[in-house]
Amino acid sequence: MSSLESARSSSVESVWAVVTSFHPDDLGPGIARLAPQTDGVIVVDDGSGPAAAEQLDHARASGAEVVALPENRGIAAALNAGIRRAFERGADAVVTFDQDSSVDADFVSTLVTLHDDLVESTPGGVAVVPQFFAGVDQTVVRAADGRLAARNPIQSGMLLPRSVVDAVGLFREDFFIDLVDTEYALRCASAGVAVMGAPGLRLHHRLGARYRAHGWPLRRLGVLTLSAPFRYYYRMRNRILLEKEYLPRFRSRLLRDGLIDRAHFLIVLLLARPRSAMWDTLRSAARDGRRGVGGRMPAAAAARARAISWDATRDDED
């Protein structure tokens, strides 16, 4: 029996979790924490193949239904496959998660409670996220009553009622990975859907690897969080795609975020070895973004990215 049974008067009576995975290493415990909080858990594996079979069996044993995609189609496609399946199973809302996210026992009920508190006063619809993602506050105070509006929320931990998905649509699969959630939040705002934060609620998550740069002056920056080199193709390309579509409506927001991203790209370029490979990766990403090209990165760009390493030392201290 779901722990949501006591909240059956909610406007979202059936809530399912959708968890995406790609070469997972420890799915069972996270699924076991989600199962009592929801009416069902769907794990969508994004083309990991036979190597993930044991972990997917652990997910099934913990109570999840598993959807295994035959090839890697990107996180947006994996999320969409899980959302569709949950709605087929009768869900009124889904909460989406990455495989690296974990939750406390009251996580889903807190999201649902805030949704119910806000839904009558937000005629365009409301999605709900935790205030904190991996320790980072992803909200701003919008009103005198202290309600928290989300700013660039991460999709992991996001409550999406079916009515919102019907109004806004699913995640954009041509983004493949990176800024998928940012685009969705901008689309929500364009459609009049509020994305609000649950005060004090935390989603535990492992971010990218932490490094300390070698040499001056980057050493003065301290610990840096870096993604796998290939991710910077998607981050650059999708940043440009976002700006092409949404800059007229969200100018100050996108200019600020774009400046922050481009400063990070400069740091990444200085740390990459060989630097020329990262330059080519970013340049091809920018060209594809300007041309409006989405989907999986070209094979040649992926091969260049695989050759890149960081001129930095891993920092694994807590």
Side-chain angles (χ1 to χ4, degrees):
M1 182 71 68
S2 166
S3 63
L4 291 176
E5 188 68 30
S6 62
R8 286 310 185 196
S9 61
S10 168
S11 58
V12 287
E13 295 186 357
S14 177
V15 181
W16 285 58
V18 172
V19 181
T20 59
S21 76
F22 184 64
H23 295 294
D25 57 12
D26 195 20
L27 280 177
I31 303 304
R33 284 189 290 270
L34 281 172
Q37 301 188 47
T38 60
D39 294 286
V41 179
I42 295 174
V43 173
V44 182
D45 184 73
D46 190 16
S48 300
E54 182 177 358
Q55 282 299 317
L56 297 180
D57 284 343
H58 290 328
R60 292 185 184 95
S62 299
E65 176 182 348
V66 172
V67 177
L69 300 182
E71 62 180 0
N72 179 224
R73 295 171 52 199
I75 192 170
L79 286 166
N80 290 345
I83 293 169
R84 291 189 189 100
R85 182 64 62 88
F87 288 162
E88 289 171 2
R89 295 290 186 264
D92 297 312
V94 295
V95 187
T96 58
F97 294 97
D98 293 338
Q99 65 188 30
D100 293 333
S101 299
S102 62
V103 299
D104 295 327
D106 62 347
F107 186 89
V108 174
S109 63
T110 301
L111 294 177
V112 171
T113 297
L114 182 60
H115 173 270
D116 289 343
D117 289 345
L118 297 176
V119 67
E120 294 299 328
S121 60
T122 50
V126 59
V128 184
V129 299
Q131 180 179 359
F132 297 99
F133 175 87
V136 177
D137 191 338
Q138 54 181 2
T139 66
V140 293
V141 176
R142 188 174 71 172
D145 61 7
R147 290 183 179 180
L148 299 175
R151 172 183 287 170
N152 296 338
I154 304 300
Q155 60 77 21
S156 190
M158 179 182 287
L159 173 75
L160 286 173
R162 186 167 191 157
S163 59
V164 167
V165 177
D166 287 344
V168 177
L170 293 165
F171 291 95
R172 273 185 61 171
E173 297 185 10
D174 62 322
F175 271 44
F176 200 82
I177 193 171
D178 283 311
L179 300 179
V180 169
D181 28 30
T182 301
E183 190 280 331
Y184 199 81
L186 292 173
R187 198 161 10 120
C188 283
S190 298
V193 173
V195 183
M196 306 299 289
L201 188 62
R202 295 178 179 273
L203 183 74
H204 310 292
H205 188 85
R206 288 182 290 176
L207 295 172
R210 301 191 305 174
Y211 291 85
R212 290 185 182 272
H214 299 154
W216 189 92
L218 292 181
R219 186 173 57 194
R220 297 172 63 90
L221 296 176
V223 177
L224 301 168
T225 299
L226 300 174
S227 299
F230 80 91
R231 295 283 295 270
Y232 290 103
Y233 169 88
Y234 292 107
R235 192 160 161 184
M236 169 67 88
R237 185 199 68 187
N238 293 348
R239 173 59 60 189
I240 293 172
L241 291 176
L242 277 180
E243 291 168 349
K244 283 169 63 70
E245 182 163 355
Y246 292 103
L247 192 61
R249 181 176 174 87
F250 302 99
R251 185 172 183 82
S252 61
R253 177 174 172 179
L254 287 176
L255 288 176
R256 179 194 64 235
D257 293 347
L259 182 62
I260 293 171
D261 251 3
R262 287 170 175 85
H264 185 71
F265 295 153
L266 177 59
I267 293 171
V268 163
L269 182 61
L270 294 174
L271 288 176
R273 298 294 182 271
R275 194 171 291 162
S276 59
M278 180 55 75
W279 172 251
D280 287 342
T281 298
L282 293 173
R283 185 173 60 177
S284 65
R287 181 177 61 248
D288 287 347
R290 290 192 297 269
R291 293 175 176 174
V293 175
R296 186 193 300 271
M297 68 189 298
R304 283 194 300 269
R306 285 194 295 269
I308 297 171
S309 60
W310 303 123
D311 185 24
T313 300
R314 282 288 296 265
D315 186 299
D316 295 320
E317 295 181 4
D318 292 332

